[in-house]
């Protein structure tokens, strides 16, 4: 699943994912991400950090509190424009597994994505 509020970023991300034969549901904010994961199982979540209604940090914290152990352990990769130490620490503290900085390096994203999908 891709949780990203920016339409241009959604389209760019989907273009790469299609090349890698990855099916991806897209939601526009963290609230929709939490609701979607309650309804379906996903191999990985790509989570933007700055979104309306609920940001990526809060969405990740809510996902980690779900009753279903499979859903609770779904890998979450943060998508962030800031690679600052404080942001990285907050990413991990909120329960995310890894992060990719935007604009992303396609090879870096592909490597991290398949690292979690193939587990």
């Amino acid at each position: 699943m891709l949780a990203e509020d920016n339409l241009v970023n959604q389209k760019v991300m989907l273009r790469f994912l299609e090349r890698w034969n990855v099916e991806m549901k897209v939601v526009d904010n963290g609230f929709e991400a939490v609701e979607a994961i309650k309804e379906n199982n996903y191999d990985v979540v790509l989570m933007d950090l700055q979104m309306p209604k609920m940001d990526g940090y809060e969405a990740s914290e809510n996902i980690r509190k779900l009753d279903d152990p499979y859903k609770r352990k779904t890998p979450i990769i943060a998508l962030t424009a800031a690679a600052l130490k404080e942001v990285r620490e907050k990413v991990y503290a909120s329960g995310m597994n890894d992060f990719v900085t935007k604009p992303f390096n396609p090879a870096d994203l592909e490597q991290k994505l398949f690292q979690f999908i193939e587990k």
Side-chain angles (χ1 to χ4, degrees):
M1 172 176 37
L2 171 63
E4 168 66 68
D5 63 316
N6 183 291
L7 188 59
V8 173
N9 290 346
Q10 288 177 2
K11 288 182 179 187
V12 169
M13 185 69 73
L14 287 173
R15 200 168 296 133
F16 281 102
L17 295 169
E18 286 171 4
R19 285 186 203 161
W20 304 328
N21 294 317
V22 174
E23 290 183 36
M24 188 71 60
K25 175 178 176 62
V26 178
V27 296
D28 296 318
N29 60 62
F31 178 79
E32 290 178 12
V34 174
E35 293 304 306
I37 209 163
K38 286 178 182 176
E39 300 296 321
N40 298 290
N41 291 329
Y42 297 97
D43 295 321
V44 67
V45 177
L46 299 175
M47 183 78 73
D48 184 30
L49 297 181
Q50 304 300 320
M51 294 181 288
K53 294 188 183 177
M54 182 185 294
D55 67 24
Y57 301 111
E58 187 178 353
S60 296
E61 290 169 355
N62 285 326
I63 290 168
R64 296 301 182 227
K65 293 176 184 172
L66 294 174
D67 291 334
D68 183 321
Y70 178 84
K71 294 173 188 288
R72 192 171 54 235
K73 293 179 182 177
T74 302
I76 303 172
I77 301 173
L79 302 173
T80 178
L84 303 172
K85 182 181 180 202
E86 298 82 27
V87 172
R88 289 194 312 263
E89 289 172 355
K90 193 172 176 183
V91 161
Y92 294 123
S94 66
M96 293 183 231
N97 301 83
D98 209 338
F99 67 93
V100 174
T101 55
K102 296 189 289 187
F104 64 90
N105 174 330
D108 185 38
L109 175 64
E110 183 180 26
Q111 182 268 325
K112 289 185 181 191
L113 188 63
F114 285 102
Q115 168 190 339
F116 289 106
I117 289 176
E118 294 174 357
K119 285 187 176 179

